[in-house]
Amino acid sequence: MSSERIDTKNLASYILFALALLFLVLRAPYGWCFNDEPFLVTLAQRLYMGDSLLVDEWNPAQVVGPILLPFYALFNIVSKDNTGILLAFRYCYCVLWLTTCITVFQTVKKQCGSLLVSFCVFFYLIPFAPLDYMTLSYTSLGLMSCLMLCCLLLKSREELKIPFYCYALMVSVPICILVLSTPHMVLTYAAVWIASAIALFFKKNRTDTCSYHLKAMMMSGVYLGAAVAFYCYFLIIRRIELSSLLPSVHMILAKPDSVTQSSIINRMINVVKSIFDKSLLYSVCLAVSSLASIIFQKRMRPLRLGMFILCTVGFLWAQYWFLMDQMRIKFNYQMIDIALLGLAAFTMLDSKPWKLFFSFSCIGIVYTLLRGVGTDTGLASAGMTLTVCGVSSIVYIFQLCHEIREQYKKERRIRTITLILCVCLFVIQFCSEGYVKLFRQYWDRKPITLKETVEVGAAKGLITNRYDKEAYELQYYNLKKMLKNVDTDNPDVGFVSFSSSPIIYLDANLRFGTFSSWTFPYRESLLSALEAYKEINPDCRQTVFFAEEEDDIPKEFNTKEYVRFDEEGSVLLVEKSVLKQ
């Protein structure tokens, strides 16, 4: 009978996972993101074509290029061009995100022994996508790697049953991806590594499990050092003249859209301030309840039910205003309130799960602060990173409800109220996430109104509105028609687009003649930036120029050196030396 029950539970989990994958795959094609999404793919495209990090690409986001390179290379080996690559990256995201959610599900299930709590965590994670676009990016890959790292750190030596150097390798992979996607996280890793070294060599009374994890952390430094050396050699040193490295780094740091040069501490304070300002009344309620629980401890125990009710009402209020605010609903805000509520619930617990707190909550808080240091997206960034805290927060809330119900064993009404509040919390949370997933789309209209499927180019297979579909397909056909005049096999071909849409580079699929496909910050100084780029990179070729409109072409290019091709408003200037004969 017991085995039948276990089989039934496992079967329910497998059905849930299959339905989740189906949901992600069906939802993935919807929406058109004309800037961020194709830009990230071009970072891998450049590396695949032989360009280097730092010198050839000047956008700081290039650090994610090596992570995306294997996906891009595999797609190009199979398809031979970039047709449909955006949708392929979205499907890769679906598989990786589902794998991450299943790993977290299994970890929580093992830690707390409750299938209900595990399902709630799974439903909390699965509908979410950073910035609500489902693709491989430094935000989504960073979040996945952080969650996987938290799960690995929770495992004991007895669970793993592998040598410490194998465990170190497992831990190194998510750390490497996390540091590449959020470079400031290297500060945390360095601090933990140094602390591990001190503890390993100077502290004598250690358990076997403690020594195992300390050795693994030390060994991970060796693996990460080898990975850095590998990438530096194959993606930088082998591809460049070292004399151009320092000037290029200077240009990267001097980018017009770089984060304001305030101190790290000030930026961290701004992150915390933005979280509190989101819903001030709710934040004050949580802060007061948490401080009272920490300071007065057991004396506050009789008041836990009242504080929990107050915080839950605050949560419902914050979620209501979130759903009413049509601007905020796009930017990860739906993940913040439950994470904060859980942290407050942790302070009210009699029996605190410290291991879970250090593995998920602490890492989530550090991730939130350091991610906020390196971005100017403010609360949108915090909403994504606090999702890590949200996993443990759900466990804390369920545990607090259980303790309150045990505290009032004889009070049936109180036990019922506590259960209803707990159910309401997660129903509202899931509904707000579901609403965003079904009725909001980053840079596009409501998914339920999107009915037009793109038939060509890198965006093939995406479902968007009629206007964007027709505009993109017209641009694609114009570009391809004009590129027939270019000898694409000529090594002197270097493509530059004056369009603000990075997808042009994916469709042209030619060697880059520019510092980046992301040129928004350089609207007023694009020409001078291109000239600076060519000075630092004398081997760079700038021989083919594309513009969506004639006015976008600088007057300096209207010379006899270039042959001009026009197609329904789009313009292509081609240097005579690379014309097809």
Side-chain angles (χ1 to χ4, degrees), residues 227-240:
V228 169
F230 175 85
Y231 275 118
C232 285
Y233 179 71
F234 284 99
L235 298 181
I236 302 177
I237 296 173
R238 279 188 63 185
R239 303 184 179 196
I240 66 167

Side-chain angles (χ1 to χ4, degrees), residues 273-320:
K273 186 175 180 296
S274 67
I275 294 171
F276 270 80
D277 286 347
K278 172 185 172 287
S279 182
L280 189 58
L281 187 62
Y282 176 57
S283 300
V284 169
C285 176
L286 293 178
V288 170
S289 300
S290 300
L291 287 173
S293 299
I294 293 169
I295 295 170
F296 298 105
Q297 297 179 356
K298 291 185 179 180
R299 280 181 285 177
M300 295 299 297
R301 196 170 186 271
L303 301 177
R304 284 195 306 180
L305 177 60
M307 290 192 297
F308 179 62
I309 292 173
L310 185 63
C311 291
T312 302
V313 171
F315 169 82
L316 298 176
W317 176 258
Q319 286 290 302
Y320 170 77

Side-chain angles (χ1 to χ4, degrees), residues 31-315:
W32 169 261
C33 179
F34 62 88
N35 48 20
D36 305 59
E37 187 176 4
F39 162 66
L40 294 169
V41 182
T42 64
L43 296 174
Q45 180 189 21
R46 297 198 73 158
L47 296 177
Y48 186 74
M49 289 180 166
D51 285 353
S52 76
L53 295 170
L54 298 179
V55 172
D56 292 320
E57 173 65 52
W58 286 358
N59 193 289
Q62 64 183 284
V63 290
V64 80
I67 309 174
L68 300 178
L69 180 57
F71 298 98
Y72 182 89
L74 180 61
F75 183 86
N76 265 261
I77 290 170
V78 173
S79 69
K80 308 300 182 187
D81 64 12
N82 292 327
T83 301
I85 194 168
L86 296 185
L87 183 59
F89 266 52
R90 292 189 186 190
Y91 285 148
C92 289
Y93 163 86
C94 293
V95 174
L96 292 177
W97 183 235
L98 179 65
T99 303
T100 303
C101 292
I102 291 173
T103 304
V104 175
F105 171 89
Q106 298 289 5
T107 302
V108 171
K109 182 181 172 185
K110 194 165 192 68
Q111 286 296 313
C112 65
S114 171
L115 196 61
L116 175 61
V117 178
S118 304
F119 277 134
C120 284
V121 169
F122 185 82
F123 280 118
Y124 169 71
L125 290 176
I126 203 68
F128 177 67
L131 284 177
D132 303 320
Y133 64 99
M134 303 165 63
T135 192
L136 300 178
S137 66
Y138 50 84
T139 50
S140 63
L141 289 168
L143 178 59
M144 291 180 204
S145 60
C146 191
L147 288 169
M148 294 295 276
L149 177 62
C150 293
C151 292
L152 284 171
L153 292 178
L154 264 178
K155 293 187 178 297
S156 64
R157 181 179 184 178
E158 292 72 23
E159 288 179 77
L160 292 164
K161 297 178 181 178
I162 56 174
F164 75 88
Y165 49 83
C166 294
Y167 175 59
L169 182 60
M170 292 172 64
V171 169
S172 298
V173 174
I175 289 176
C176 184
I177 297 172
L178 184 58
V179 168
L180 284 173
S181 60
T182 309
H184 286 94
M185 285 297 286
V186 75
L187 300 174
T188 303
Y189 175 73
V192 172
W193 193 89
I194 292 169
S196 299
I198 293 171
L200 187 63
F201 290 107
F202 294 100
K203 189 175 179 181
K204 304 208 173 170
N205 298 323
R206 296 187 307 268
T207 63
D208 288 342
T209 299
C210 180
S211 296
Y212 178 83
H213 281 86
L214 291 174
K215 288 178 183 177
M217 186 56 65
M218 293 293 296
M219 192 67 191
S220 70
V222 177
Y223 291 136
L224 290 174
V228 169
F230 175 85
Y231 275 118
C232 285
Y233 179 71
F234 284 99
L235 298 181
I236 302 177
I237 296 173
R238 279 188 63 185
R239 303 184 179 196
I240 66 167
E241 294 290 336
L242 290 178
S243 59
S244 60
L245 183 58
L246 286 178
S248 295
V249 171
H250 172 75
M251 294 301 293
I252 292 170
L253 297 176
K255 274 185 86 274
D257 66 339
S258 58
V259 180
T260 54
Q261 300 301 310
S262 57
S263 70
I264 289 179
I265 300 299
N266 284 339
R267 292 184 217 166
M268 288 183 178
I269 292 171
N270 288 336
V271 172
V272 176
K273 186 175 180 296
S274 67
I275 294 171
F276 270 80
D277 286 347
K278 172 185 172 287
S279 182
L280 189 58
L281 187 62
Y282 176 57
S283 300
V284 169
C285 176
L286 293 178
V288 170
S289 300
S290 300
L291 287 173
S293 299
I294 293 169
I295 295 170
F296 298 105
Q297 297 179 356
K298 291 185 179 180
R299 280 181 285 177
M300 295 299 297
R301 196 170 186 271
L303 301 177
R304 284 195 306 180
L305 177 60
M307 290 192 297
F308 179 62
I309 292 173
L310 185 63
C311 291
T312 302
V313 171
F315 169 82

Side-chain angles (χ1 to χ4, degrees), residues 91 97 134 167 218 265 270 314 324 385 405 425 444 448 529 546 551 553 564 579:
Y91 285 148
W97 183 235
M134 303 165 63
Y167 175 59
M218 293 293 296
I265 300 299
N270 288 336
M324 292 298 103
T385 52
R405 283 167 61 81
L425 277 173
D444 210 332
I448 57 173
F546 173 81
D551 292 342
I553 296 283
R564 177 186 175 119
L579 280 172

Side-chain angles (χ1 to χ4, degrees), residues 496-501 505 519 526-527 530 545-548 552-554 557 573:
V496 179
S497 172
F498 292 113
S499 166
S500 59
S501 179
Y505 290 91
T519 56
L526 179 57
L527 192 59
L530 287 171
F545 298 87
F546 173 81
E548 291 181 79
D552 293 336
I553 296 283
F557 287 86
L573 295 180

Side-chain angles (χ1 to χ4, degrees), residues 356-368:
L356 188 68
F357 178 78
F358 287 119
S359 297
F360 274 90
S361 300
C362 286
I363 290 178
I365 292 169
V366 171
Y367 185 31
T368 299

